[in-house]
Amino acid sequence: MLQDKVIVIVGATGGIGATLTRQLAPTGARLVLAARDGESLAALANELPGDVLTVPTDITQPQQVEVLIQTTIAQFGQIDVLVNAAGSGILKAYNNIEPADLEKMVDLNLKGCFYTTQAAAKEMQKRKSGHICNVVGILGKHSMPMAAAYSASKFGVVGFSKCIAEELKRFGVKITLFYFGGIDSPFWDQVNLKVDRQKMLSCETAANAIFYALSAEPQAIPMEINIQPESHLFF
């Protein structure tokens, strides 16, 4: 099903991205890995079988996103799948959020995801085929104290994704949104809150869900996948 598919994974060195990359590598998919840290990308690629393309990319910069997409096209001739797994979180009381905090959340989580989705979708539209997977997180669907800036960026991802999905459906391009609850990943290393990571979902659980969406039969469109830890359910 995934043999020879060209799959671009943005945020490939993060918890979900790296786990998904390792799951996809044995399928025969042609992987393109993007993240800011070129050394971490190279180290990940060296673990994997086959020919893996790495493109260090800061997705907050539209010009770098364009380089990522065009490098992929030059190497493989097409893009079948884009997985947006990059992101970061700032969780603070609303009155402690600085302008720089809000700018960081919007630039990376919202604008970065928009730029990559937009650039990949243009190529997919030409071929009338493609699948875009945006990892939103549950705070793009439900509110939580201390998450005003983060949720603002993630709710924005949901909004633009649904609009673009409407524009792309006649071109055979699918968009799937993933609403995962707390994932035990390096995301939490930078968050100054007391959380019980043992009760969170694993990166493997998240990667399995994305793998499932990518492996679904062509006529099936998994529009939204919502997985929460038992300790903290949202409906």
Side-chain angles (χ1 to χ4, degrees):
M1 183 72 73
L2 297 176
Q3 178 78 35
D4 294 327
K5 293 284 188 181
V6 179
I7 302 177
V8 179
I9 303 175
V10 176
T13 58
I16 296 174
T19 304
L20 177 64
T21 295
R22 294 184 179 103
Q23 288 186 1
L24 289 171
T27 68
R30 293 177 287 180
L31 300 180
V32 181
L33 310 182
R36 281 191 266 201
D37 186 344
E39 291 185 5
S40 297
L41 276 177
L44 177 60
N46 287 336
E47 296 179 24
L48 307 175
D51 185 21
V52 178
L53 177 63
T54 60
V55 187
T57 308
D58 180 352
I59 61 171
T60 69
Q61 304 300 314
Q63 298 87 350
Q64 293 193 34
V65 171
E66 189 62 25
V67 169
L68 167 64
I69 300 303
Q70 293 309 316
T71 300
T72 301
I73 297 297
Q75 179 78 10
F76 296 120
Q78 64 195 57
I79 298 174
D80 296 297
V81 175
L82 169 70
V83 178
N84 273 312
S88 68
I90 293 175
L91 301 181
K92 294 181 179 180
Y94 80 93
N95 53 348
N96 289 331
I97 294 172
E98 302 288 342
D101 297 329
L102 182 58
E103 288 174 9
K104 181 178 180 181
M105 293 296 89
V106 171
D107 284 349
L108 179 58
N109 295 340
L110 178 55
K111 290 183 180 179
C113 188
F114 186 97
Y115 295 146
T116 54
T117 299
Q118 182 185 48
K122 288 179 181 178
E123 296 299 328
M124 293 175 178
Q125 181 175 330
K126 294 175 186 177
R127 297 181 61 245
K128 296 187 177 181
S129 177
H131 193 172
I132 296 170
C133 295
N134 287 339
V135 179
V136 181
I138 194 58
L139 295 184
K141 194 178 193 67
H142 293 279
S143 59
M144 186 184 83
M146 314 288 285
Y150 181 74
S151 282
S153 67
K154 291 298 190 173
F155 269 75
V157 171
V158 175
F160 87 68
S161 296
K162 290 185 176 183
C163 290
I164 292 176
E166 288 293 326
E167 295 182 55
L168 290 175
K169 61 185 180 182
R170 66 191 180 96
F171 296 102
V173 179
K174 301 181 287 190
I175 293 184
T176 305
L177 300 179
F178 296 86
Y179 301 101
F180 298 130
I183 300 287
D184 184 14
S185 73
F187 173 96
W188 294 100
D189 296 343
Q190 306 170 34
V191 174
N192 189 26
L193 289 178
K194 291 183 179 179
V195 293
D196 187 351
R197 292 172 65 163
Q198 291 185 340
K199 294 183 178 180
M200 291 183 175
L201 302 173
S202 67
C203 290
E204 287 74 16
T205 296
N208 288 343
I210 300 171
F211 193 100
Y212 161 77
L214 297 182
S215 304
E217 54 194 8
Q219 66 270 30
I221 303 177
M223 299 168 65
E224 297 185 345
I225 295 180
N226 184 340
I227 304 178
Q228 304 304 308
E230 186 179 17
S231 61
H232 198 175
L233 295 178
F234 285 98
F235 289 99

